[in-house]
């Protein structure tokens, strides 16, 4: 709900910025004095040819009684309706994208050797993650991906929290087909109780977090490469 409200608010703000500023220049809704009459109104009693033509043109430009026919409020409301009509489509598209990201169609079975090697790596990485074992993570990740994960762990440390995975077990493995022989993409489905614990909170607080966490199934795509015949994690699609 918060993400939806932020999206709508941002869209309305953009519409406000791009609308022509013809009104509401001062408090109370007073408009700037650019209308055809000296007192801000249009002339209504002139019938000479020049004056009539000018008044007629002025009507076409600004509308009856000198008011802008398409007001900023109307444009904002219309823009908001248009944006709102696209919000469900956007949410469905994003949900489908995230699903496809970790559920590729071109998946084949994993060889026994790769399965054994990956399972060892998987549990090693997850254990190091929950224990903040930086040295182990450095040795099993590419330098770029390791720096990204280290930044996350440092943010966790500043907030005095640590991610915990209880009962982690692999349920299914698959291998995504790729055109590059040096790259390996393993689709792993596993389950665990995933929750945070805080070292600056009471035991009751942490127990409540634990009690409200459930064992859930998740699917990820681990992108790997070999360095000196050793599997290295280059990315994890979640």
């Amino acid at each position: 709900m918060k993400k939806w409200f932020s999206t709508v608010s941002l869209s309305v703000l953009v519409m406000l910025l791009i609308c022509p500023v013809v009104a509401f220049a001062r408090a109370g809704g007073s408009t700037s004095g650019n209308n055809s009459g000296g007192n801000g109104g249009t002339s209504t009693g002139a019938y000479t040819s020049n004056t009539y033509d000018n008044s007629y043109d002025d009507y076409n430009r600004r509308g009856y009684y000198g008011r802008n026919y398409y007001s900023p409020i109307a444009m904002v409301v219309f823009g908001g309706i248009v944006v709102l009509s696209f919000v469900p489509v956007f949410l469905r598209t994003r949900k489908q994208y995230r699903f496809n990201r970790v559920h590729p169609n071109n998946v084949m079975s994993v060889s026994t050797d790769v399965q054994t090697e990956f399972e060892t790596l998987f549990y090693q990485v997850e254990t190091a993650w929950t224990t903040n074992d930086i040295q182990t993570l450095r040795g099993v990740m590419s330098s770029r991906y390791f720096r990204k994960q280290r930044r996350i762990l440092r943010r966790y440390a500043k907030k005095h929290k640590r991610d915990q995975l209880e009962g982690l077990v692999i349920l299914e493995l698959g291998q995504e087909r790729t055109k590059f022989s040096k790259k390996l993409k393993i689709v792993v489905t596993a389950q665990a109780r995933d929750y945070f614990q805080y070292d600056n909170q009471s035991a009751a607080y942490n127990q409540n977090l634990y009690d409200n966490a459930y064992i859930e199934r998740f699917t990820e795509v681990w992108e790997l490469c070999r360095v000196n015949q050793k599997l290295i994690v280059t990315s994890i699609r979640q």
Side-chain angles (χ1 to χ4, degrees):
M1 179 62 72
K2 291 183 178 179
K3 293 183 179 179
W4 175 85
F5 180 76
S6 300
T7 302
V8 174
S9 301
L10 179 60
S11 302
V12 172
L13 178 60
V14 171
M15 291 300 299
L16 283 171
L17 292 175
I18 65 176
C19 287
V21 184
V22 273
F24 308 105
R26 298 191 299 275
S30 175
T31 60
S32 56
N34 259 342
N35 295 329
S36 56
N39 59 356
T42 58
S43 174
T44 58
Y47 287 94
T48 62
S49 59
N50 291 338
T51 306
Y52 179 80
D53 291 341
N54 291 337
S55 298
Y56 181 77
D57 292 341
D58 192 58
Y59 172 80
N60 286 336
R61 287 196 305 269
R62 295 196 302 267
Y64 193 50
Y65 290 129
R67 294 176 182 170
N68 201 320
Y69 186 79
Y70 297 104
S71 69
I73 292 180
M75 295 184 68
V76 169
V77 172
F78 176 75
I81 293 174
V82 172
V83 169
L84 287 175
S85 66
F86 280 100
V87 166
V89 178
F90 169 76
L91 293 177
R92 285 197 301 269
T93 303
R94 186 176 64 170
K95 183 178 180 180
Q96 187 63 42
Y97 169 77
R98 289 183 173 179
F99 180 84
N100 294 339
R101 211 175 127 79
V102 295
H103 294 85
N105 295 321
N106 52 339
V107 177
M108 61 183 183
S109 59
V110 182
S111 66
T112 304
D113 292 340
V114 172
Q115 178 177 342
T116 302
E117 188 176 8
F118 175 78
E119 288 180 351
T120 301
L121 174 65
F122 178 82
Y123 289 118
Q124 183 182 17
V125 169
E126 297 296 356
T127 300
W129 176 263
T130 57
T131 57
N132 202 19
D133 186 350
I134 298 297
Q135 293 304 319
T136 297
L137 293 176
R138 188 193 302 272
V140 296
M141 293 180 174
S142 65
S143 57
R144 182 177 181 180
Y145 192 64
F146 167 73
R147 289 193 298 268
K148 180 180 178 181
Q149 300 308 301
R150 184 175 58 182
R151 286 195 297 268
I152 296 175
L153 290 175
R154 285 176 175 175
R155 287 198 298 267
Y156 284 177
K158 288 181 179 180
K159 296 179 180 180
H160 298 275
K161 68 179 184 179
R162 178 173 292 180
D163 191 13
Q164 299 295 307
L165 289 171
E166 183 182 87
L168 178 64
V169 59
I170 295 175
L171 301 176
E172 186 179 358
L173 291 178
Q175 183 175 341
E176 182 180 1
R177 291 184 175 89
T178 176
K179 297 179 181 179
F180 306 99
S181 58
K182 294 183 179 181
K183 291 186 177 181
L184 185 63
K185 298 181 180 180
I186 300 297
V187 183
V188 51
T189 300
Q191 68 179 25
R193 184 195 299 264
D194 190 0
Y195 60 98
F196 283 109
Q197 294 285 276
Y198 293 80
D199 60 18
N200 62 342
Q201 298 291 341
S202 65
Y205 180 88
N206 286 320
Q207 183 64 41
N208 182 63
L209 292 178
Y210 174 82
D211 292 339
N212 284 281
Y214 299 95
I215 296 177
E216 295 182 349
R217 180 176 297 193
F218 60 90
T219 300
E220 301 173 339
V221 179
W222 286 47
E223 299 184 2
L224 314 161
C225 69
R226 289 195 180 276
V227 178
N228 297 326
Q229 301 302 315
K230 177 183 177 181
L231 281 182
I232 298 295
V233 183
T234 60
S235 179
I236 300 177
R237 298 192 332 240
Q238 298 175 318

